[in-house]
Amino acid sequence: MKPPIQQAKKHLLQHLRTASPEVKEIVYPCLPQDIGDYRRALELVEVQAEFNRRGVKAILKTASRSGKISPDIIIATAKDVASGKLDERFRDDS
């Protein structure tokens, strides 16, 4: 089995190579525990070169196991936090 960064690299490039020429941006949903490996794979010189050559921007987003993209910002009231509604929200996305 390949190291996690190599697996992420393969996944990134596989989707890039199969994308149609019109694609200018690819969003990669990643589990929270995997996003660091994907960031490091995306920073590799050969990966950056291929994205730049194609003129495609890669965006990494944290996602749940169901594939639901996690929001960048969550606004909650103190009452929501105290009542556990915020905890429920994060538990539902896992």
Side-chain angles (χ1 to χ4, degrees), residues 12-28 50-59:
L12 291 167
L13 293 177
Q14 182 178 30
H15 284 278
L16 176 65
R17 290 173 181 152
T18 59
S20 65
E22 305 84 45
V23 171
K24 296 297 175 201
E25 185 176 279
I26 301 174
V27 176
Y28 293 94
E50 194 147 348
F51 273 90
N52 290 336
R53 185 181 60 76
R54 287 277 312 268
V56 175
K57 179 180 178 182
I59 298 174

Side-chain angles (χ1 to χ4, degrees), residues 37-55:
D37 293 326
Y38 273 83
R39 277 198 186 103
R40 287 189 287 285
L42 196 53
E43 292 169 354
L44 294 171
V45 173
E46 62 268 27
V47 174
Q48 280 296 306
E50 194 147 348
F51 273 90
N52 290 336
R53 185 181 60 76
R54 287 277 312 268

Side-chain angles (χ1 to χ4, degrees), residues 62-76:
T62 305
S64 66
R65 290 202 180 279
S66 66
K68 184 177 177 185
I69 302 288
S70 302
D72 293 329
I73 298 173
I74 295 178
I75 298 173

